[in-house]
Amino acid sequence: MSNAELGAFLGQWLPRLEDEMHVVLHNEETAVAQHYGMLHYHMGWANEELKPQRYPSGKRIRPMLCLLACAEIGGDPVQAIPAATAIELLHNFSLIHDDIEDGDEVRRHRPTVWKLWGAPQAINVGDGLFALAFAALQRSRRYGVASRTTLRALDLFTQSCLALTEGQHLDMRFEQRATVRTEEYLRMIRGKTAALIGASAAIGAVVGGATEAQVEAFQSFGRAAGLAFQIQDDILGIWGDPAVTGKAAGNDILRRKKSLPILYTLNHKSIGEPFAALLSNQLDESNVALAIAYMNQAGARAYAEGIVQTHFDNSLAALKKVLGNRTEQSMLWALVDSLLHRQA
Amino acid sequence: MSNAELGAFLGQWLPRLEDEMHVVLHNEETAVAQHYGMLHYHMGWANEELKPQRYPSGKRIRPMLCLLACAEIGGDPVQAIPAATAIELLHNFSLIHDDIEDGDEVRRHRPTVWKLWGAPQAINVGDGLFALAFAALQRSRRYGVASRTTLRALDLFTQSCLALTEGQHLDMRFEQRATVRTEEYLRMIRGKTAALIGASAAIGAVVGGATEAQVEAFQSFGRAAGLAFQIQDDILGIWGDPAVTGKAAGNDILRRKKSLPILYTLNHKSIGEPFAALLSNQLDESNVALAIAYMNQAGARAYAEGIVQTHFDNSLAALKKVLGNRTEQSMLWALVDSLLHRQA
């Protein structure tokens, strides 16, 4: 029943989230209309001429976790709307800067902000969104959240911002290196992916009135789920069905992405060397197939699936600390479970 | 007497500020040592090999205004240390990103962060410092600041972050245009310079226990002082004594900087056209002298000095609303007055 319940919950709260994001990003001053226009473009609310138009947006996973955590702990989700908004804006800020840093020209099938308006303006647009994410969270008082609670949420929020930059720092450095140990990679995604997902659940719990021990459990739950999501993405980037993922078979091999299964194979005692030699060639369909054969031989898929399972289990165990017997019937777990089994 | 008093105050509190900045920017994790090392480099605490070494830092004007505003309103300056730290870190964050956006290769006589480590890492280092600035302010509770007070300070802080990005947006757009109206320029520096200086004074007052009306007066005082500082800088960029400013005579003309006196001359009914034609040439000493002659003829210096005087008067009037008769003997005014007359 929790999937139908989840659908109803999201149908009720996601429009409130969208409304709040629009309120926070609204500005009427003509002089700076282009600055805010570029933000609207990035959010999928405006076209390249900065005229209103709707485009597909992100999946809103982080704000959903925040709203659900608030509800599951017995809080009123409306009080978590400012925090959920802040989290989604922060995520979007990080995408603007990541696209510049990685030189990515396309995001959600549209040219990236830097590609259209240049890196200098795009850096500054990202900074504006960073500030607005904080502004969003600071609107909590209007929703009846106590000052102490808001400050606690801000603490978690700021720590996750910092963790994002640590993760991104490592990600960029790893790109420059021939190989990276799997533990180093896991440290990187703890910062780049897991920290904000952990904070999303933790902040929702804080707003919902959780105790410190409960907040920690929600944070562990979210972090573990975030790690599982990321490594599952890594698996799909190699073995995913192109018909489902919308990407080429072995897409991450073609991009030489230092994802977990690739790093595991590169670090393999006997297969690492020929695999590295193969990746140093021009890559096409035939050697992608060979690369996948190497990876299967190394046991990279089983290894990565084992790690996903471990984090999946850890996530469930952490949530059980707070929700007990009703964990597996909860909307929060229904969300995590559906995300992890979406392309199984 | 207030100058000696000011010196003693700063001698007492600036070292506390430096200590707090070090605490906030401290991180022991080896994996991300380079991320924090680049921050230390930018702050003037480390050399290019990221080994500890001390370099001249900024003038700390903003945190001084914050600490002084707190003291003048009757608060304990120690409680304003986290806010003053946040303000100085925010200022430094904006310098890292501005240097990338403007392509500036040197800051305080040293290579800029992006010049040494590339724009992608530098963007991310700036983001880290942005997050740490918020983290600094959120340490207020450890200094006995009430939650409501901290949230009010955070509001002002976040609004000034946003204003910074608006100002920077306009500054970059103006660089692409042939000319800019003086009112447009003043709007730009309200965001880029005045907002944070206004917030510095206002936040200090908030922490010191000021009423809303007093906070507004401190903010007006700081904003007006910030505008006066900037336009005085503009005047010195044209007519400043190279022996005092350390820059070439007519430096801003050589750089074709769209500063207030230059924009005023460009917009002058009869002199604007020949002045623009002159600036479109290769610029050397002889036509810089001619450009200055044009500007004098247009009355650009008198115009800019008039604007400085207006903001100077507004700043004093705003401060008098709070400090009354003792305004001109206050340390806060001594600081503003000394900064505005430093190279007169």
Side-chain angles (χ1 to χ4, degrees), chain A residues 29 36 97 127 165-166 187, chain B residues 29 36 97 127 166 187:
Chain A
E29 190 189 347
Y36 290 87
H97 280 189
D127 291 342
T165 71
E166 293 176 358
R187 165 65 185 89
Chain B
E29 189 189 348
Y36 290 87
H97 280 189
D127 292 342
E166 293 176 357
R187 165 66 185 88

Side-chain angles (χ1 to χ4, degrees), chain A residues 212 251 334:
Chain A
E212 268 309 298
N251 186 56

Side-chain angles (χ1 to χ4, degrees), chain B residues 51-303:
Chain B
K51 298 274 177 292
Q53 191 169 325
R54 299 307 295 257
Y55 298 91
S57 61
K59 292 191 289 283
R60 312 290 190 228
I61 292 168
R62 295 160 191 79
M64 288 196 278
L65 287 171
C66 176
L67 293 165
L68 284 167
C70 177
E72 299 284 9
I73 203 76
D76 181 352
V78 77
Q79 294 203 315
I81 285 285
T85 301
I87 287 162
E88 184 62 17
L89 296 179
L90 183 73
H91 173 59
N92 272 279
F93 139 75
S94 76
L95 299 178
I96 294 177
H97 280 189
D98 283 4
D99 286 342
I100 307 168
E101 293 161 13
D102 302 341
D104 287 335
E105 302 186 355
V106 175
R107 155 93 41 207
R108 296 172 194 146
H109 310 289
R110 303 162 73 214
T112 48
V113 175
W114 75 265
K115 183 69 186 164
L116 289 176
W117 292 286
Q121 283 286 0
I123 296 168
N124 190 56
V125 167
D127 292 342
L129 196 48
F130 202 164
L132 287 166
F134 278 93
L137 192 36
Q138 289 159 21
R139 284 168 53 86
S140 293
R141 200 176 148 204
R142 298 173 186 237
Y143 287 75
V145 181
S147 297
R148 283 286 285 270
T149 307
T150 302
L151 278 178
R152 178 73 186 112
L154 274 163
D155 255 355
L156 289 162
F157 189 72
T158 304
Q159 288 312 310
S160 75
C161 295
L162 199 55
L164 276 179
T165 71
E166 293 176 357
Q168 178 66 2
H169 168 76
L170 293 173
D171 198 14
M172 289 190 282
R173 279 183 54 206
F174 293 170
E175 287 301 316
Q176 313 295 323
R177 285 166 47 179
T179 189
V180 172
R181 285 177 295 115
T182 53
E183 311 88 81
E184 291 181 297
Y185 176 80
L186 293 170
R187 165 66 185 88
M188 183 273 282
I189 63 173
R190 272 205 297 277
K192 186 158 172 164
T193 306
L196 184 54
I197 296 180
S200 302
I203 290 171
V206 164
V207 175
T211 65
E212 269 309 299
Q214 290 173 322
V215 170
E216 266 178 44
F218 273 104
Q219 190 163 27
S220 300
F221 149 77
R223 277 185 185 143
L227 291 171
F229 294 156
Q230 181 59 55
I231 299 163
Q232 189 192 239
D233 259 6
D234 289 358
I235 294 171
L236 293 171
I238 309 286
W239 292 279
D241 179 352
V244 180
T245 63
K247 292 176 183 166
N251 186 59
D252 284 355
I253 298 172
L254 290 165
R255 295 171 57 211
R256 292 181 181 76
K257 195 175 160 194
K258 291 198 181 74
S259 71
L260 188 67
I262 291 177
L263 291 173
Y264 179 82
T265 312
L266 283 170
N267 285 295
H268 191 277
K269 212 186 301 180
S270 57
I271 296 167
E273 216 167 305
F275 182 67
L278 178 67
L279 290 192
S280 70
N281 294 327
Q282 190 89 22
L283 291 172
D284 57 27
E285 256 180 53
S286 74
N287 45 22
V288 163
L290 182 55
I292 295 181
Y294 274 135
M295 295 178 76
N296 291 336
Q297 203 188 330
R301 182 171 189 165
Y303 166 77

Side-chain angles (χ1 to χ4, degrees), chain A residues 78-123:
Chain A
V78 76
Q79 294 202 316
I81 285 285
T85 302
I87 287 161
E88 184 61 18
L89 295 180
L90 184 74
H91 172 59
N92 272 279
F93 140 76
S94 77
L95 299 179
I96 294 177
H97 280 189
D98 284 4
D99 286 341
I100 306 168
E101 293 161 13
D102 302 341
D104 287 335
E105 302 185 354
V106 175
R107 156 94 40 208
R108 295 170 194 147
H109 310 290
R110 303 162 74 214
T112 48
V113 175
W114 76 266
K115 182 71 185 160
L116 289 176
W117 292 285
Q121 282 287 0
I123 296 169

Side-chain angles (χ1 to χ4, degrees), chain A residues 315-333:
Chain A
S315 182
L316 183 62
L319 195 57
K320 278 189 175 161
K321 280 194 197 165
V322 209
L323 303 186
N325 285 340
R326 63 187 180 86
T327 303
E328 275 149 309
Q329 282 70 51
S330 71
M331 292 187 284
L332 202 46
W333 188 249

